Amino acid sequence: MAKVTDLLKRVLVGRALRSGQLHEQLLPKRIALPVFASDALSSVAYAPQEILVILSLAGVSFYTYSPWVAAGVVVVMLTVVASYRQNVHAYPSGGGDYEVATVNLGHNAGLTVASALMVDYVLTVAVSVANGVDYVGATIPFVADHKPSVAIAIVVLLTVVNLRGLRESGAAFAVPTYAFMVAVLGLVAWGGVRVLIFGDELRAPSADFGIVPEQTDLTAFAAAFLILRAFSSGCAALTGVEAISNGVPAFRKPKSKNAATTLLMMGLVAITMFSGIIALGLVSGVKVAEPSVVATDLLRPDGTPVGPGYHQQPIISQVADAVFGSGSLLFVVISAVTALILFLAANTAFNGFPVLGSILAQDRYLPRQLHTRGDRLAFSNGIVILAAAACLLLWGFQADVSRLLNLYIVGVFVSFTLSQTGMVIHWTRHLKTETDPRVRHQMHRSRTINFFGGIMTGLVLVVVLLTKFLVGAWIVCLAMPVLFLMMKAIRRHYDNVAAELEITGDYDATVLPARNHAIVLVSKIHKPTMRALAYARATRPSTLEAVTVGVDGAEARQLQEEWERRGIPVPLKMLDSPYREITQPILDYVKTLRRRSPRDVVTVFIPEYVVGHWWEHLLHNQSALRLKARLLFKPGVMVTSVPWQLHSSDRLLARPEPFAPGAVRRPMKRNAKDEEISARG
């Protein structure tokens, strides 16, 4: 079974890489852009649409506010990109927002950022995959009917790809990401040429539709609240910006410069696509409504509702229809690459979450296993945990994008705000000691950028909380403190263990136990028992005895008689068990020995079978496993397993050693003389 499992792992994940090959996994800018920017770039598939959807609650007339809302989102995006370019230069170690907040604002602020980012990374995977499933489900009814199952299957596929390592996942995702960029930028460019140069009139499929406003006669306050809610939904376009600051170690040298350049390219491309899509959407007359009310609130030209049979096309599909025509090849290509990029957008989280988890594990806020790289030099445990959490979220929310989006972007703006505040403190601290006028000028400029970024993202965070709290953001506001307290508890546990294990000044490592009492557990007289007895005698304990539990009187007497007949030179002690319990009598006997001589140690030797098939493990050693688990909690008790290899395990001995490719280790054969020596000890 182990051989089959290993083969399957190699097929899915690939051959193991040496630690010295880590430099081969570092990314050039052309690969880093699709790896870390796919989330931010893919947001143009839903962020512009979310602005129009929220404004549609007050009717088509409120679409006139969408350019101003979009302009606000662009300003925030430019500010955040400029701010994070300062971050990657100041903190290139990969800690990103967590490191910035921890160093400048304290550990509690750092943990707040970490908990916010972890929640947001999980939501990034869930939202991106669910939205991609919606695009595919528009043309494939089976996918639409099984959205949660298909979404979970896609997350599993992305997990396997990412387990193969950064470089391979980047190469796999580069072509679709660049195809999406070229397709959308081409769509925006050609649409602009048709409108501005040729003077063509673009007509989206829903251009002649009307919208029934759910809220009419809004007060000034209510209208402002609705516009702010549309702005907060549009700010989903900013998700993924922080991933580059967390992934600086994955870049080739010079790391900070390459990361900053990639961040700038991502920002410019994302802003161009976002602005172009929403502009063409307004010019072509796109009408969209909330998915739950499309059938009743979206009206045909004759004034009748579109009805439940109508499928609302996403904004990119409608714009592509208006620019290229619904039956054109370019329309099909744009629809296909948009669905694909939404799936691949989850890759940003698959690269950011494991790195953040590794840093937190190194700081002892998460289990140490998250700091370990896997066979392919990726943080495999973090990748698996992220995938499991995203699958659970997709299953719990039935892959409903509208419900998931209400939870989105709260965490990322918490990290944005605390990070930029920390950067202001960082520059202020360094300005106190810096004397070079040129460097001081650069620091003043960076501090100004980060200060403006902190104010801007803080205001957006307030807007997001006010407008989304009651419709789902409260779940994130609850999950973040839970993660915060969990990480504090893990750190407290590691600190307590370290303090307890630390060698104190009066500790003498040369002090030995007074005596060593050895016990060999015996169920019957066979080869494993004789080997355990022989090994126990070879350790030369102070006292040695064999112990068995007399569950059945006849079997106990038979064992005693055979023991005496064979003349085994070790006394056999029979423990009574009137209730047919095996583990408890042994534990009580060991406790008696410890109570009698507290300065002594007790060594328990347990014979065990070594089998070669997985199903054979279910048939052997179950009592030994239970007993070992109980003995581990007894102070002053040492447990030693004495293995006996069955013939089914010989095939495992013939497997090649990892350090000698192609070498075969032949199974060790036992002859009669070996068995006789083992039996006599």
Side-chain angles (χ1 to χ4, degrees):
M1 180 63 184
K3 195 172 184 179
V4 174
T5 304
D6 187 66
L7 177 61
L8 180 62
K9 182 179 180 181
R10 292 293 153 248
V11 170
L12 294 177
V13 178
R15 63 180 180 84
L17 298 177
R18 297 178 183 272
S19 298
Q21 295 177 272
L22 180 60
H23 69 281
E24 299 176 9
Q25 298 297 301
L26 299 180
L27 304 176
K29 293 190 292 293
R30 66 179 184 278
I31 300 296
L33 181 62
V35 166
F36 291 108
S38 55
D39 179 23
L41 297 178
S42 68
S43 64
V44 301
Y46 52 84
Q49 177 167 318
E50 286 303 307
I51 293 175
L52 299 182
V53 165
I54 300 302
L55 292 177
S56 69
L57 296 175
V60 177
S61 61
F62 264 61
Y63 276 14
T64 56
Y65 294 106
S66 57
W68 301 104
V69 174
V73 173
V74 169
V75 170
V76 175
M77 186 178 294
L78 285 171
T79 304
V80 170
V81 168
S83 299
Y84 271 86
R85 280 172 57 82
Q86 317 309 313
N87 287 36
V88 298
H89 285 295
Y91 293 92
S93 61
D97 294 342
Y98 165 70
E99 183 179 3
V100 173
T102 300
V103 172
N104 298 288
L105 300 175
H107 292 287
N108 288 338
L111 287 184
T112 302
V113 168
S115 59
L117 284 176
M118 285 193 291
V119 170
D120 213 69
Y121 279 137
V122 174
L123 283 166
T124 294
V125 176
V127 169
S128 300
V129 172
N131 207 359
V133 170
D134 279 345
Y135 269 83
V136 177
T139 55
I140 305 177
F142 175 84
V143 173
D145 294 338
H146 302 83
K147 281 178 57 178
S149 301
V150 174
I152 290 173
I154 291 170
V155 172
V156 172
L157 178 61
L158 291 171
T159 303
V160 172
V161 174
N162 277 277
L163 287 174
R164 296 186 67 87
L166 263 179
R167 189 175 182 86
E168 287 204 25
S169 64
F173 297 156
V175 173
T177 303
Y178 280 120
F180 174 75
M181 291 168 56
V182 171
V184 175
L185 290 175
L187 170 66
V188 171
W190 182 240
V193 168
R194 288 191 59 186
V195 172
L196 299 177
I197 298 179
F198 297 148
D200 294 343
E201 181 183 5
L202 303 182
R203 301 290 293 175
S206 59
D208 296 325
F209 287 5
I211 297 179
V212 177
E214 294 186 20
Q215 302 173 12
T216 58
D217 299 326
L218 295 177
T219 63
F221 177 80
F225 184 85
L226 186 67
I227 293 171
L228 289 176
R229 184 180 170 190
F231 170 73
S232 67
S233 296
C235 284
L238 277 77
T239 56
V241 173
E242 79 291 343
I244 291 181
S245 66
N246 291 333
V248 176
F251 284 80
R252 286 182 179 174
K253 295 180 180 180
K255 296 178 181 292
S256 295
K257 181 180 178 182
N258 288 336
T261 303
T262 303
L263 185 58
L264 179 60
M265 290 190 297
M266 179 205 71
L268 294 177
V269 172
I271 288 171
T272 302
M273 293 195 299
F274 173 84
S275 304
I277 289 298
I278 199 164
L280 290 176
L282 293 174
V283 169
S284 61
V286 169
K287 305 293 191 306
V288 287
E290 285 191 313
S292 59
V293 298
V294 166
T296 57
D297 287 10
L298 208 59
L299 305 178
R300 298 186 185 278
D302 59 2
T304 60
V306 295
Y310 174 78
H311 172 73
Q312 179 173 262
Q313 292 186 24
I315 187 171
I316 289 185
S317 297
Q318 294 203 44
V319 170
D321 186 300
V323 174
F324 298 121
S326 60
S328 66
L329 177 61
L330 291 176
F331 171 81
V332 175
V333 169
I334 288 177
S335 300
V337 296
T338 301
L340 187 57
I341 192 64
L342 285 166
F343 293 141
L344 302 187
N347 192 56
T348 298
F350 273 106
N351 285 284
F353 183 95
V355 174
L356 177 62
S358 171
I359 294 171
L360 288 168
Q362 188 176 11
D363 291 344
R364 297 184 294 180
Y365 287 114
L366 286 180
R368 291 171 179 167
Q369 292 86 338
L370 292 177
H371 183 56
T372 306
R373 292 183 182 270
D375 289 352
R376 299 288 296 180
L377 298 176
F379 295 109
S380 306
N381 293 327
I383 291 173
V384 172
I385 290 175
L386 173 64
C391 289
L392 186 63
L393 203 61
L394 287 167
W395 176 77
F397 284 82
Q398 293 296 293
D400 189 329
V401 178
S402 298
R403 295 170 62 193
L404 289 169
L405 276 173
N406 290 326
L407 282 65
Y408 209 21
I409 79 172
V410 175
V412 75
F413 274 97
V414 169
S415 64
F416 283 170
T417 305
L418 290 176
S419 172
Q420 299 314 303
T421 304
M423 286 301 296
V424 172
I425 296 175
H426 166 83
W427 297 123
T428 302
R429 185 175 66 251
H430 281 73
L431 278 169
K432 294 178 180 179
T433 58
E434 184 59 53
T435 58
D436 188 336
R438 184 179 60 84
V439 177
R440 287 181 61 84
H441 175 72
Q442 292 176 348
M443 288 183 175
H444 277 294
R445 184 192 62 186
S446 298
R447 185 174 66 171
T448 302
I449 293 173
N450 288 130
F451 177 78
F452 184 72
I455 295 295
M456 184 71 70
T457 55
L459 291 174
V460 175
L461 175 61
V462 172
V463 171
V464 170
L465 289 175
L466 289 176
T467 57
K468 290 196 172 189
F469 185 82
L470 296 179
V471 292
W474 64 268
I475 298 176
V476 176
C477 295
L478 180 64
M480 285 169 51
V482 170
L483 278 173
F484 180 92
L485 295 175
M486 181 195 73
M487 289 189 287
K488 295 281 283 189
I490 291 174
R491 175 60 186 262
R492 186 163 52 249
H493 167 77
Y494 278 135
D495 288 346
N496 292 338
V497 170
E500 191 172 344
L501 297 180
E502 185 179 0
I503 299 176
T504 58
D506 57 349
Y507 181 82
D508 189 357
T510 62
V511 175
L512 299 176
R515 290 182 298 175
N516 178 19
H517 300 283
I519 298 174
V520 179
L521 301 185
V522 176
S523 59
K524 61 178 63 176
I525 300 177
H526 48 24
K527 292 177 181 179
T529 298
M530 302 309 294
R531 171 172 286 184
L533 288 168
Y535 180 68
R537 292 177 64 192
T539 63
R540 301 185 182 278
S542 303
T543 62
L544 174 63
E545 61 181 339
V547 174
T548 188
V549 180
V551 176
D552 183 273
E555 291 182 358
R557 287 191 297 272
Q558 184 179 357
L559 177 64
Q560 185 75 48
E561 293 171 358
E562 184 178 359
W563 194 272
E564 295 174 354
R565 186 176 70 254
R566 288 180 176 272
I568 299 175
V570 177
L572 176 66
K573 184 173 185 61
M574 190 77 63
L575 302 179
D576 294 330
S577 180
Y579 296 100
R580 299 161 303 284
E581 172 66 32
I582 296 177
T583 303
Q584 194 58 46
I586 295 175
L587 294 174
D588 293 340
Y589 183 66
V590 170
K591 189 184 300 182
T592 301
L593 292 177
R594 288 282 301 145
R595 191 182 303 116
R596 190 182 304 162
S597 304
R599 290 186 56 195
D600 299 349
V601 297
V602 178
T603 303
V604 181
F605 294 88
I606 304 178
E608 291 189 44
Y609 307 132
V610 178
V611 297
H613 301 93
W614 66 270
W615 53 268
E616 292 178 310
H617 286 281
L618 304 176
L619 307 178
H620 302 284
N621 300 325
Q622 301 307 311
S623 298
L625 289 173
R626 289 195 299 270
L627 183 59
K628 282 195 292 186
R630 298 286 298 276
L631 288 172
L632 287 175
F633 293 93
K634 301 295 180 183
V637 177
M638 315 299 167
V639 183
T640 303
S641 296
V642 183
W644 178 271
Q645 291 78 15
L646 297 175
H647 289 302
S648 62
S649 67
D650 286 347
R651 65 187 184 86
L652 298 180
L653 297 176
R655 294 175 60 188
E657 294 288 351
F659 51 80
V664 177
R665 184 173 61 186
R666 299 183 181 280
M668 183 174 59
K669 296 182 179 180
R670 305 184 184 93
N671 53 35
K673 186 175 181 180
D674 293 331
E675 302 295 356
E676 182 182 353
I677 293 174
S678 175
R680 288 187 305 184

